[in-house]
Amino acid sequence: MLKNWAMSPAVLLRVAVVLQLMLIAASVALVSSFEAGLPAHLQEWLAGDEQGELGVVALAVMPLFPGLLLAMLISSIGLLCLQKWAAWLFLVANLGGPCLYLCLGPTVEHAVITMMGDIEMLLCGFIIGVSFLTDALGPKQISPPPSAP
């Protein structure tokens, strides 16, 4: 029955992008409720961290976050429209995010939110793989082999 059931790379790509966007939205929606479930001493640390001053490096990279979020959104929409340029923008945006996170210092989050972030990163890798290693964004340009003299 499922023997002939297969998805094209383009459908897989679109499904993965939609799942990733849904997972990000769910994480954002749930983060505050899960923070309330943290132990009291971690909640105190979070409250103190939110009131504390940001370092010079963190202040320097903060203006880059809106652009990074915009690039992630635009690239996701582009991937849903099966645009090749969107794969490159998606790759750059998803490599830039973790680099910027390093500048922000320590974080505390509930294990469920961490798990959701890990699944989102797995989906990110899957999206990059499907985008670059399949013909989801159009046929691959394979040059013909050189002719023998």
Side-chain angles (χ1 to χ4, degrees):
M1 181 172 165
L2 293 175
K3 186 177 180 182
N4 294 327
W5 187 80
M7 282 194 207
S8 71
V11 172
L12 280 174
L13 179 63
R14 286 178 169 152
V15 167
V17 169
V18 169
L19 285 175
Q20 183 188 34
L21 292 173
M22 289 172 42
L23 192 59
I24 291 170
S27 297
V28 169
L30 295 173
V31 71
S32 61
S33 63
F34 278 111
E35 281 182 0
L38 289 172
H41 62 281
L42 292 178
Q43 287 183 17
E44 289 174 23
W45 185 86
L46 278 175
D49 187 49
E50 290 172 1
Q51 303 301 322
E53 293 183 19
L54 292 174
V56 174
V57 176
L59 286 173
V61 299
M62 281 298 206
L64 300 175
F65 276 101
L68 182 70
L69 292 174
L70 186 61
M72 288 179 176
L73 180 63
I74 290 171
S75 66
S76 294
I77 293 169
L79 287 173
L80 288 173
C81 296
L82 303 177
Q83 299 296 309
K84 186 67 175 173
W85 58 263
W88 288 103
L89 183 59
F90 188 85
L91 177 66
V92 169
N94 282 285
L95 287 175
C99 293
L100 292 180
Y101 300 154
L102 290 174
C103 302
L104 298 180
T107 59
V108 173
E109 60 187 10
H110 195 278
V112 173
I113 301 300
T114 302
M115 179 196 68
M116 292 172 86
D118 290 346
I119 294 170
E120 190 269 329
M121 276 293 126
L122 286 171
L123 278 171
C124 177
F126 181 78
I127 291 167
I128 291 169
V130 171
S131 297
F132 286 102
L133 303 176
T134 70
D135 62 350
L137 301 177
K140 298 291 179 212
Q141 301 296 327
I142 300 173
S143 59
S147 58

